[in-house]
Amino acid sequence: MISAPARPASPAPTLKGRLDGFFEITKRGTTWATEVRGGVLTFVTMAYIVILNPLILGGTPDVAGHSLQGTQVAAVTALSAGFMTVLFGLIARLPFAFAAGLGINSFLAVSVVQVLTWPEAMGLVVINGLIIVLLAATGLRRLIFNAVPAQLKTAITVGIGLFIAFIGFVDSGFVRSTNLASPPVQLGEAGSIATVPTLIFLLALVIMGVLMARKVKGALLIGIVAATVVAIIVEAIVHVGPSLGGKNPAGWNLTVPQLPTSLVSLPDLSLVGQVDLFGSFGRIGALAAVMLIFTLVFTNFFDAMGSMTGLARSAGLAADDGTFPRLQSALIVEGVGAVVGGATSSSSNTVFVESASGIGEGAKTGFASVITGVLFLLAMFFTPLTQVVPLEVAAAALVVVGSLMVVQIRHIDFSEFSSVLPVFLTIIVMPLTYSIANGIGVGFISWVIIRSLAGKAREISPLLWIVAAGFLVYFARGPIEAVLPH
């Protein structure tokens, strides 16, 4: 009997092939170049946090009169953002980037350190993160996620689109406060576009819009680079200068576009580990400390859930019910972001909606997150370079990306009013209150009340009832805190 010839052994996969399989580059219909561009663009649109976070955290004395040093906050902000974004890219393998959340850092600076020291406040952030990790690891966080109706998940995506577009309009000076009860906002300065930074924003918006319409690869990144070059030239000629917190309304909002005098600086990481986990319980009492933790958990929990849902849909990775690949891993890692942020005194790190800029560039995998994270780690040493791109230029990218997210509204069924009003409230409350969590909370509460009174109570998940009740407590936390013993 003649035996069949042995089949040749299949060649061992190359390193590039193994990486392609790990990140699912080919499977998700993307390319390495697209992922790199997306990762770079996400970093460019998020780099402002290295400048803004120190301004929020570094300028506020705590109850003991101690303030965090700005340069130290900048260093740990870049460190934690870089570490968490790389970690998320490798574990969840999704194109979502992490950094210090603007809602929580403002809450810490405005409210928490009025009664606690900075190490005690950061201790509460760590505890908040551990609770979120526990909820995610036990599957409870995913159960809550799955209990949210598809209509509301889509509404969250649309609301986030309007929210980040509104952020872009405000950051650019295109929309400004009137400092009046009515109307609260206005177009530009005194109702007209008369400042150079806002004109640069409009130029960037037009460049990006035309390139996107013509389907040019790297449209947003090209627009940011081109507008930044123009901004540097214009600033060198007319010397607009910084806004100085509103004292110079015609100035640049955050970063004056100019070539840096130095490129490299060594990071000061002294704040790492400066945490007091349980000091807050002794200083203000257990009940008051628990209420602060409750507020942090709700803000962290639902801001991240909403952001992830919107970003996954924007990347084309979400199923019809809003779930996406490695959902539980993503939720666990997001909780770790709060722990890392508290441990480094950079504030809770969470998913940034600005990741949508890289997704708009075509990023679909965790490799884009790895690129973004590495750039944040490098930013610790190249802090001067992060100050080259003006916020007004980055703001244009946010408006474009917001427009891409809003198109998801076509998936919402507007035929039944018992779902129309909760969906509308979810969408509109986010930009108007400058909070993703507020929009989600109002949407959940209105969905439960209106749908149940319309005879559809049996269709509502018991978990959604519980979460809606929790949001009622969240929204009433001010009066509740007022009656607690201090």
Side-chain angles (χ1 to χ4, degrees):
M1 182 175 179
I2 300 174
S3 59
R7 298 176 66 181
S10 57
T14 63
L15 175 61
K16 185 177 181 180
R18 289 196 296 269
L19 287 175
D20 186 292
F22 179 80
F23 287 111
E24 300 180 342
I25 300 290
T26 302
K27 181 179 178 180
R28 296 186 184 178
T30 182
T31 65
W32 294 106
T34 298
E35 296 301 300
V36 170
R37 283 199 309 270
V40 171
L41 182 56
T42 293
F43 170 76
V44 170
T45 56
M46 286 178 59
Y48 72 88
I49 194 63
V50 180
I51 305 163
L52 184 57
N53 202 38
L55 295 178
I56 294 173
L57 299 181
T60 306
D62 61 21
V63 68
H66 175 258
S67 297
L68 302 179
Q69 188 177 334
T71 55
Q72 294 176 338
V73 176
V76 295
T77 298
L79 171 66
S80 57
F83 174 78
M84 283 307 308
T85 302
V86 170
L87 182 68
F88 190 85
L90 294 176
I91 294 179
R93 302 175 208 171
L94 295 164
F96 306 167
F98 277 62
L102 291 177
I104 288 183
N105 63 3
S106 299
F107 176 62
L108 292 174
V110 173
S111 301
V112 178
V113 296
Q114 304 306 311
V115 294
L116 298 176
T117 65
W118 276 111
E120 291 165 351
M122 293 302 171
L124 293 184
V125 174
V126 171
I127 294 172
N128 145 68
L130 292 173
I131 291 173
I132 290 176
V133 169
L134 180 63
L135 291 173
T138 57
L140 182 58
R141 192 175 187 186
R142 180 166 186 165
L143 288 175
I144 295 173
F145 182 91
N146 292 338
V148 180
Q151 293 275 75
L152 283 183
K153 287 177 180 174
T154 304
I156 289 169
T157 303
V158 176
I160 291 174
L162 290 180
F163 175 49
I164 64 174
F166 191 49
I167 290 174
F169 284 131
V170 172
D171 287 349
S172 67
F174 187 82
V175 171
R176 296 177 185 250
S177 171
T178 61
N179 297 315
L180 300 172
S182 181
V185 294
Q186 63 183 352
L187 175 70
E189 182 65 24
S192 63
I193 305 300
T195 68
V196 170
T198 305
L199 290 174
I200 294 295
F201 158 77
L202 293 173
L203 173 65
L205 188 60
V206 169
I207 293 173
M208 293 175 193
V210 170
L211 292 176
M212 288 287 292
R214 298 183 69 88
K215 296 180 170 36
V216 175
K217 290 185 177 181
L220 297 182
L221 186 57
I222 293 171
I224 285 177
V225 173
T228 298
V229 171
V230 173
I232 291 173
I233 295 172
V234 170
E235 174 61 23
I237 296 173
V238 300
H239 304 293
V240 175
S243 65
L244 301 174
K247 295 179 182 177
N248 174 23
W252 300 96
N253 196 10
L254 184 62
T255 307
V256 177
Q258 54 192 2
L259 295 176
T261 56
S262 61
L263 298 179
V264 181
S265 61
L266 291 176
D268 183 349
L269 303 177
S270 313
L271 290 176
V272 175
Q274 298 296 314
V275 180
D276 185 345
L277 274 180
F278 303 109
S280 58
F281 291 85
R283 185 180 296 274
I284 61 175
L287 285 176
V290 167
M291 182 55 64
L292 289 177
I293 293 171
F294 178 86
T295 303
L296 289 171
V297 168
F298 255 72
T299 303
N300 227 143
F301 189 111
F302 288 102
D303 264 10
M305 192 191 80
S307 297
M308 287 185 181
T309 301
L311 293 172
R313 284 190 180 278
S314 183
L317 299 174
D320 291 339
D321 61 358
T323 58
F324 50 84
R326 299 182 184 86
L327 173 58
Q328 185 162 2
S329 296
L331 295 176
I332 292 174
V333 176
E334 197 278 329
V336 173
V339 177
V340 170
T344 58
S345 292
S346 62
S347 180
S348 176
N349 275 235
T350 188
V351 174
F352 254 51
V353 291
E354 283 85 347
S355 305
S357 58
I359 291 171
E361 192 61 38
K364 294 179 181 294
T365 78
F367 188 70
S369 295
V370 172
I371 296 297
T372 303
V374 169
L375 291 175
F376 266 117
L377 294 175
L378 291 175
M380 289 193 299
F381 302 91
F382 294 91
T383 305
L385 285 179
T386 64
Q387 302 178 25
V388 173
V389 179
L391 188 58
E392 288 78 2
V393 171
L398 296 184
V399 173
V400 172
V401 170
S403 70
L404 294 175
M405 297 182 74
V406 167
V407 299
Q408 296 291 332
I409 199 170
R410 68 183 186 275
H411 297 301
I412 297 176
D413 180 7
F414 289 103
S415 63
E416 191 173 357
F417 194 77
S418 64
S419 61
V420 168
L421 184 57
V423 162
F424 172 73
L425 292 174
T426 301
I427 293 171
I428 202 66
V429 168
M430 285 188 196
L432 293 187
T433 66
Y434 236 58
S435 169
I436 295 173
N438 286 350
I440 294 174
V442 170
F444 284 8
I445 293 170
S446 59
W447 182 277
V448 165
I449 293 175
I450 295 173
R451 297 280 289 181
S452 61
L453 294 179
K456 301 180 184 295
R458 292 183 179 181
E459 299 177 7
I460 303 172
S461 165
L463 270 178
L464 199 63
W465 282 92
I466 295 172
V467 174
F471 265 115
L472 284 175
V473 176
Y474 173 75
F475 289 137
R477 67 188 183 278
I480 293 173
E481 289 171 354
V483 301
L484 290 176
H486 292 281

